[in-house]
Amino acid sequence: MREIILDTETTGLSPNDGHRIIEIGCVELFNCVPTGRTFQCYINPERDVPPQSTAITGLTTEFLKPFPVFSKVVDDFLDFIQDDQLVIHNAKFDLTFLNFELSRLGLAVLPQSRAVDTLLIARQKFPGSPASLDALCKRFNVDLGKRNKHGALLDSELLAIVYLELLGGRQRTLAMESSRDGPAAETVEIGTKHVKRAARIFEIFDEEAKAHKEFLGQIKNPLWSQY
């Protein structure tokens, strides 16, 4: 399944107040794994960038002036996202801005139903806890590196990791997937291609099995003993 992690940076909080998009960043996922394909563009908002926005994004009016306006990048943007599911943190915010720009050009808007909102997932999974992207990165021990400004592509890359964790981590089910011919195949990334190879089988020695049994014996009231 193809999904697109999406984030925008803007000059302010609402297009109804005259604010515009200044950056779009997207990361392509295939079966919840980044493929390496991304989309990123800076956009001339055709207005000044307020100091509050510059403080968050590091983007200034002067920096953005040479870049194309939204109408010049919209085709490339729509070609990248295609008709696939969007994954957005606080989807209502980003879709409001994107749909404002699309409507101005007479183009079809992006329905809210098309987006998976990771903010809502986090609030349902961790009620009462902070659910910002920064807070979730800290919860899941995602390395923020030297990030001190918001950037649409960087935030999309971080959200891709957080999204996988919100879904339950790399192994999303309790049962390992297996092939008809034997053990589960291992998927290896080669560039942007996914190649399956036969799973490796590791022999368990008697000493290891004994040590494992002794370790399990030290666990008080294990969950599996209740069944």
Side-chain angles (χ1 to χ4, degrees):
M1 180 176 66
R2 184 177 187 263
E3 297 173 292
I4 302 297
I5 305 283
L6 186 151
D7 186 52
T8 64
E9 300 298 339
T10 67
T11 61
L13 298 179
S14 173
N16 294 329
D17 296 329
H19 290 293
R20 307 287 296 277
I21 296 174
I22 54 179
E23 184 187 5
I24 300 174
C26 301
V27 171
E28 181 187 65
L29 303 184
F30 187 76
N31 289 340
C32 297
V33 178
T35 65
R37 288 192 65 218
T38 62
F39 173 88
Q40 189 272 344
C41 65
Y42 294 113
I43 298 171
N44 180 345
E46 302 177 277
R47 56 152 293 162
D48 66 295
V49 179
Q52 299 92 327
S53 177
T54 298
I56 295 172
T57 65
L59 303 178
T60 64
T61 304
E62 292 72 23
F63 174 82
L64 293 169
K65 276 183 178 178
F67 288 95
V69 297
F70 185 85
S71 63
K72 300 297 183 183
V73 303
V74 65
D75 288 342
D76 289 339
F77 168 65
L78 294 176
D79 284 345
F80 186 84
I81 67 171
Q82 299 180 38
D83 294 322
D84 295 300
Q85 181 171 273
L86 306 175
V87 179
I88 310 172
H89 200 70
N90 192 8
K92 183 178 180 180
F93 177 87
D94 298 88
L95 290 181
T96 295
F97 271 93
L98 287 168
N99 287 337
F100 173 81
E101 298 288 356
L102 292 170
S103 296
R104 290 179 75 244
L105 299 174
L107 299 173
V109 299
L110 304 171
Q112 189 78 29
S113 60
R114 183 175 164 182
V116 172
D117 193 337
T118 50
L119 178 62
L120 298 182
I121 296 175
R123 285 175 173 171
Q124 292 170 357
K125 194 165 186 176
F126 310 112
S129 298
S132 68
L133 181 58
D134 280 3
L136 292 172
C137 285
K138 291 176 182 177
R139 173 181 286 275
F140 295 125
N141 296 317
V142 177
D143 185 10
L144 293 172
K146 297 180 180 179
R147 175 178 179 265
N148 53 18
K149 299 289 184 184
H150 286 253
L153 182 57
L154 174 58
D155 285 0
S156 292
E157 292 170 338
L158 293 172
L159 183 58
I161 303 172
V162 167
Y163 177 52
L164 184 58
E165 294 292 344
L166 287 172
L167 293 178
R170 292 190 176 275
Q171 180 59 35
R172 295 178 57 187
T173 63
L174 292 177
M176 296 294 289
E177 293 183 3
S178 61
S179 68
R180 296 179 181 177
D181 300 325
E186 180 181 1
T187 299
V188 182
E189 285 192 39
I190 302 177
T192 58
K193 296 181 179 179
H194 299 268
V195 181
K196 286 192 173 182
R197 67 186 184 192
R200 292 170 291 179
I201 300 175
F202 298 92
E203 181 180 358
I204 300 177
F205 296 100
D206 292 340
E207 294 82 358
E208 295 172 325
K210 180 181 179 181
H212 180 64
K213 185 176 181 180
E214 291 175 352
F215 172 76
L216 293 180
Q218 299 173 17
I219 300 176
K220 296 181 180 179
N221 300 317
L223 181 63
W224 54 85
S225 68
Q226 302 175 22
Y227 297 91

